[in-house]
Amino acid sequence: MLELRNVTAAYGNIQVLHTIDLTIHAGEIITLIGANGAGKSTTLMAISGIVPIRSGKILFEGEPIQKLAPEKLVAMGICQVPEGRHIFPALTVQENLDMGAFLRTDTDAIKDDFDYVFSLFPILAERRHQDGGTLSGGEQQMLAMSRALMARPKLLLLDEPSMGLAPLIIKQIFDIIVKINKEHNTTIFLVEQNANQALHIANRGYVIENGVITISDTAENLLKNQDIKKAYLGI
Ligand code: ATP
């Protein structure tokens, strides 16, 4: 579904991604793990067209997408849930979700998707007329994910969904990620500091260090890898 070939990216003169190569197949949950500042968010933002790449290629379903604008990528089926959620605080839950469906015109299917996200996160249905900014951190994460789902993504990019949340809420969010993948046929690319939990739901994982992919393996093998255990799992 997605292929990054020799992708490099920089902020001004500072190069932060050096030849990133990775592949995501339809239906997979893939996680990208790495230390603070390794380049995880930049990788996601390169895919979603927010950070322009300096060289290399990004292919989505075989088509080069590295020059396309973010809104075009959303229309093609790539949606990102950014780190820190970035919901619209002054809009209601309902209005935030409307924004997710902004590019769509299939009114009946949009209604089905409202029902779907409310079935995933019933608390959002209860709070649908409440301003987004008044929600708890966990509820805002649910809203950010739901807003992305309202665009009917084929590939959902999740940046640190567990950040700042209590363990019980994190478990709930991770369970829902699996559900979205299995029941809604959505491919997931998950960036996480919480490597242990991410690897427990992923099929495969990549490790990024200083803008370079250093390890790629099945999640099962990564969980057993001594270097990964020491560096990222705290074992
Ligand atoms: P974290 O887990 O802390 O978010 P990360 O692995 O997602 O880290 P990135 O956010 O991609 O890492 O950052 C990679 C490097 O790029 C870091 O050195 C960071 O300081 C730098 N960087 C990120 N955003 C910008 C920006 N807008 N301008 C300049 N440098 C940036």
Side-chain angles (χ1 to χ4, degrees):
M1 174 175 266
L2 185 82
E3 227 181 301
L4 273 67
R5 288 196 206 142
N6 284 320
V7 166
T8 69
Y11 296 105
N13 293 329
I14 302 165
Q15 188 165 348
V16 295
L17 298 185
H18 309 269
T19 60
I20 299 289
D21 284 288
L22 61 84
T23 303
I24 299 176
H25 303 294
E28 286 189 307
I29 299 181
I30 299 297
T31 187
L32 178 65
I33 57 179
N36 277 331
K40 302 182 299 297
S41 297
T42 305
T43 302
L44 285 194
M45 290 192 288
I47 296 167
S48 59
I50 298 164
V51 171
I53 66 171
R54 293 276 165 101
S55 60
K57 266 193 182 161
I58 305 179
L59 302 171
F60 181 64
E61 298 183 323
E63 258 191 70
I65 58 164
Q66 66 273 4
K67 293 208 173 99
L68 301 182
E71 63 272 21
K72 174 82 178 121
L73 297 174
V74 172
M76 288 172 81
I78 302 176
C79 277
Q80 180 170 356
V81 180
E83 183 178 326
R85 349 292 186 207
H86 295 281
I87 56 138
F88 301 107
L91 299 186
T92 64
V93 165
Q94 173 84 42
E95 288 163 342
N96 269 274
L97 295 174
D98 287 338
M99 293 306 287
F102 187 73
L103 294 173
R104 295 175 58 186
T105 50
D106 49 345
T107 321
D108 288 348
I110 291 173
K111 196 191 159 302
D112 290 346
D113 287 344
F114 267 114
D115 292 344
Y116 177 65
V117 298
F118 287 147
S119 74
L120 287 177
F121 301 112
I123 190 79
L124 294 183
E126 281 174 39
R127 307 222 186 290
R128 68 193 292 167
H129 301 300
Q130 199 171 310
D131 284 353
T134 64
L135 301 179
S136 71
E139 289 161 1
Q140 289 194 15
Q141 181 61 41
M142 294 172 193
L143 180 56
M145 286 169 63
S146 299
R147 183 182 56 187
L149 287 174
M150 289 304 297
R152 276 229 176 158
K154 296 178 187 169
L155 174 64
L156 185 62
L157 309 171
L158 297 170
D159 197 350
E160 305 270 7
S162 75
M163 188 184 270
L165 303 182
L168 210 63
I169 308 288
I170 295 175
K171 170 148 189 356
Q172 205 184 338
I173 297 281
F174 273 66
D175 287 348
I176 299 280
I177 294 171
V178 173
K179 214 170 163 185
I180 294 167
N181 171 254
K182 297 263 174 301
E183 292 176 5
H184 213 52
N185 197 22
T186 309
T187 307
I188 310 273
F189 189 31
L190 171 64
V191 157
E192 259 294 340
Q193 289 270 341
N194 193 334
N196 188 37
Q197 244 157 332
L199 287 169
H200 274 99
I201 63 162
N203 303 106
R204 294 187 294 117
Y206 289 90
V207 177
I208 184 170
E209 293 175 63
N210 298 317
V212 177
I213 299 286
T214 51
I215 305 178
S216 153
D217 209 338
T218 62
E220 202 186 341
N221 285 343
L222 290 174
L223 280 166
K224 289 191 282 202
N225 180 310
Q226 289 306 327
D227 294 337
I228 303 284
K229 280 188 180 179
K230 223 188 291 168
Y232 302 107
L233 304 179
I235 303 173

